[in-house]
Amino acid sequence: MLTSITDGFLCCLLGKSPNAVGPLDSLDHGDGFTFLEVKPGRILRIRHHVPKNRPEFPQGKPQNEDEDDEGEESRGAVRCKRRITLYRNGQLLIENLGDSNSAQNAEPAELETPDHVGIAAPGKRRKRKPKKVVTVDCHKRITSCKSTHADVVLFFIHGVGGSLDIWKEQLEFFSGLGYEVVAPDLAGHGCSSAPPVAAAYTFYALAEDMRAVFKRYAKRRNILVGHSYGVSFCTFLAHEYPQLVHKVIMINGGGPTALEPSLCSIFNLPPCVLHCLSPCLAWSFLKAGFARQGAKEKQLLKEGNAFNVSSFVLRATMSGQYWPEGDELYHAELAVPVLLVHGMHDKFVPVEEDQRMAEILLIAFLKVIDEGSHMVMLECPDTVNTLLHEFVLWEPDTPRGDGDTK
């Protein structure tokens, strides 16, 4: 800690930011790692595992394996229709419509169906003019994604201060089952390059990085797994590529609210001050991120390379969390099955936020792990792996000729 304080004072005196440029480590190609240049000079480290002896599956090729196995094209077919009304005061009214022709001529402000989410519809004494009305009509096939299917890819995206190493247990588990997995380091994290300008760490800049990774490795059915801030990038990709994103898994991602950096956050302090405080911040993260704070948890934190980024990158990433489009309406429009995993002892994300997310999403399942906290995939890897695998294999039980849900 004395070294950190000394380095911080020197940086303040010299007017430099500690560890502002360059990744924390360097790593050669090998062991399933590769480096992808998403932009000139902007290089991301990626863990990519492809099972041996698997046939090539070109992107965009129609899916045939499930049809052969199941013998029914209608199996797993889901028809979802909902109308979302956003009022000028920010209140949201969601109506889940079973029949595509029902309530076409009804006024959104007067409907009182039992499937409303959020604020109740106003009384008949006065009609309110909505700011925006969106109709989501989803008709898609949700199928079981088996390890033998060559058109399935699992993407794992970490959050602020982490690295792809936090997914160690999940990557080993799914690659061992025979799945193709992809896990990138965000810019400035892990072994990815760290640009020296704060603009390189805004939500939009990082989201475009994830878009490049997705477009590089995506196949027919892609499953996105995100943790914390990484959930926002999964949501972004699912919204941008609804035909390619088959399922989404959100781990301690929080509520469906627009991102906006806090003006009173400790991360607004100068990088040199944050560098001085780095031991305290690491200890605070250990206490808030794990249900227990023993030697095992410290080792997990070290092995996961979590909260091991430069003070400059940490400050820029936290300050760059501005995404006004990612509000409740944005999430309510998603027409993809979502599994929400929450660690009950999480001090960063209250369980009420994930509960609200489950209410807003069209097809969502919330699973709470009592023994876990924010870093639940490190604390309870077997439980998390089981939940994820069950969801990957899940498909809706729709009788022949009946594809409606909700």
Side-chain angles (χ1 to χ4, degrees), residues 150-372:
D151 65 336
V152 176
V153 183
L154 277 66
F155 291 83
F156 293 83
I157 305 177
H158 68 82
V160 179
S163 74
L164 63 84
D165 297 316
I166 69 169
W167 300 112
K168 178 177 179 293
E169 296 290 339
Q170 287 69 47
L171 295 176
E172 290 182 356
F173 175 79
F174 281 101
S175 61
L177 291 177
Y179 286 94
E180 181 175 354
V181 297
V182 176
D185 278 332
L186 295 179
H189 294 68
C191 295
S192 291
S193 62
V197 293
Y201 304 98
T202 65
F203 170 83
Y204 297 102
L206 297 176
E208 289 303 317
D209 289 347
M210 295 302 101
R211 185 201 296 272
V213 173
F214 183 78
K215 292 175 69 174
R216 170 65 178 82
Y217 296 102
K219 292 185 179 177
R220 179 68 175 176
R221 292 182 294 169
N222 303 281
I223 300 174
L224 308 181
V225 186
H227 172 250
S228 194
Y229 191 28
V231 167
S232 297
F233 303 119
C234 292
T235 304
F236 169 80
L237 292 174
H239 210 277
E240 293 287 303
Y241 302 97
Q243 299 303 319
L244 290 177
V245 175
H246 200 64
K247 298 175 183 178
V248 176
I249 299 171
M250 303 178 176
I251 302 178
N252 292 327
T257 55
L259 296 180
E260 186 174 355
S262 174
L263 297 177
C264 300
S265 171
I266 188 175
F267 298 104
N268 289 330
L269 294 172
C272 55
V273 178
L274 288 178
H275 188 68
C276 294
L277 298 176
S278 58
C280 299
L281 293 175
W283 170 246
S284 299
F285 181 81
L286 178 65
K287 291 193 66 176
F290 289 87
R292 299 177 178 84
Q293 294 84 41
K296 176 184 176 181
E297 286 70 30
K298 292 180 181 179
Q299 184 63 26
L300 288 174
L301 196 63
K302 181 179 180 180
E303 291 177 355
N305 201 18
F307 217 74
N308 188 26
V309 298
S310 73
S311 53
F312 173 81
V313 170
L314 182 61
R315 182 180 189 271
T317 306
M318 294 297 293
S319 301
Q321 292 185 356
Y322 179 71
W323 186 35
E325 297 86 358
D327 56 9
E328 288 191 342
L329 177 61
Y330 187 92
H331 287 80
E333 292 176 333
L334 290 179
V336 60
V338 178
L339 171 66
L340 297 143
V341 179
H342 183 87
M344 193 62 194
H345 298 279
D346 191 347
K347 297 181 177 63
F348 292 112
V349 180
V351 68
E352 291 78 13
E353 292 191 14
D354 277 331
Q355 289 172 342
R356 178 59 177 171
M357 180 72 87
E359 292 175 350
I360 289 292
L361 293 171
L362 181 59
I363 309 172
F365 309 91
L366 173 61
K367 300 294 183 180
V368 178
I369 301 178
D370 293 334
E371 301 81 12

Side-chain angles (χ1 to χ4, degrees), residues 103-132:
Q104 287 294 323
N105 299 318
E107 292 292 334
E110 295 185 354
L111 289 174
E112 296 182 357
T113 65
D115 286 329
H116 286 175
V117 177
I119 192 70
K124 294 185 179 182
R125 66 177 184 274
R126 183 181 179 184
K127 296 181 181 179
R128 292 189 298 174
K129 186 177 180 181
K131 180 180 179 181
K132 187 176 183 181

Side-chain angles (χ1 to χ4, degrees), residues 78-82 136-140 335-336 362-363 403:
V78 173
R79 179 68 180 268
C80 308
K81 186 177 179 67
R82 65 178 4 186
V136 179
D137 193 353
C138 168
H139 192 191
K140 64 189 303 181
V336 60
L362 181 59
I363 309 172

